[in-house]
Amino acid sequence: MDHTAHHTQTGHDHATHEGHHGPAGHGTQTGAGASWGTAVRATLHCLTGCAIGEILGMVIGTALMWGNVPTMILAITLAFLFGYSFTLFAVIRAGLDLKSAIAVAFAADTVSIAVMETVDNGIIALVPGAMDAHLSDALFWSALLGGFVVAFLVTTPVNKWMIGRGKGHAVVHAHH
């Protein structure tokens, strides 16, 4: 989620903003947990960073003619790196110091990225021939993009549950 549109001063009143209800974060209703819209936005935020990192890792590993395992390790590592970086930069812009921003990024995104990467890479591993497909093959891109879609569908309810309990992406909203 892009946090640049929000106030960067500490102590501003979230209750005065439309859609900010209750302690669990944006778009929640007191006692009702997170809204689906909030969960979708948080998941899309996570998916964007993960997709950039994972695609970059796959492209680098394939271009360097690495095997499947080192390429997947690089892709997963970069997915976590880019996933965390999106949150990290947002909370630094909101005024957090680097150490605090890193802690917030880890708290906000670790479960979401882990679920997303497990599902996405599981899909890729299960699609016959996808692991051996080249960047120019439709199978490579369809398995990768299909994995992202399934990962999004699985991760969104996880994020909804976590945000509704003040965890995951809700941690970010406490710092802007």
Side-chain angles (χ1 to χ4, degrees):
M1 181 181 298
D2 182 12
H3 300 287
T4 59
H6 296 286
H7 298 284
T8 58
Q9 301 90 358
T10 57
H12 76 279
D13 183 11
H14 281 281
T16 62
H17 298 292
E18 187 177 328
H20 299 188
H21 310 282
H26 295 288
T28 62
Q29 298 175 2
T30 307
S35 72
W36 281 106
T38 300
V40 165
R41 286 186 299 276
T43 307
L44 285 173
H45 176 265
C46 179
L47 178 64
T48 302
C50 289
I52 290 169
E54 189 160 334
I55 291 170
L56 184 60
M58 294 286 193
V59 169
I60 291 170
T62 302
L64 296 175
M65 294 188 281
W66 289 358
N68 291 337
V69 173
T71 298
M72 285 189 86
I73 290 171
L74 176 63
I76 292 167
T77 300
L78 290 177
F80 271 90
L81 179 69
F82 278 85
Y84 286 137
S85 70
F86 277 37
T87 298
L88 183 69
F89 293 131
V91 294
I92 286 174
R93 278 193 312 259
L96 261 64
D97 62 276
L98 182 60
K99 184 178 178 181
S100 298
I102 290 170
V104 167
F106 283 164
D109 293 333
T110 298
V111 172
S112 183
I113 295 171
V115 170
M116 194 161 292
E117 285 303 299
T118 300
V119 172
D120 178 49
N121 285 287
I123 297 292
I124 293 169
L126 291 174
V127 171
M131 294 293 293
D132 297 319
H134 297 281
L135 294 175
S136 60
D137 295 336
L139 179 60
F140 171 84
W141 293 104
S142 62
L144 185 63
L145 297 176
F148 288 148
V149 169
V150 174
F152 173 82
L153 294 173
V154 170
T155 307
T156 299
V158 172
N159 282 334
K160 183 182 185 306
W161 182 83
M162 289 178 57
I163 294 166
R165 283 149 187 78
K167 299 180 183 320
H169 206 75
V171 175
V172 172
H173 295 289
H175 296 285
H176 70 84

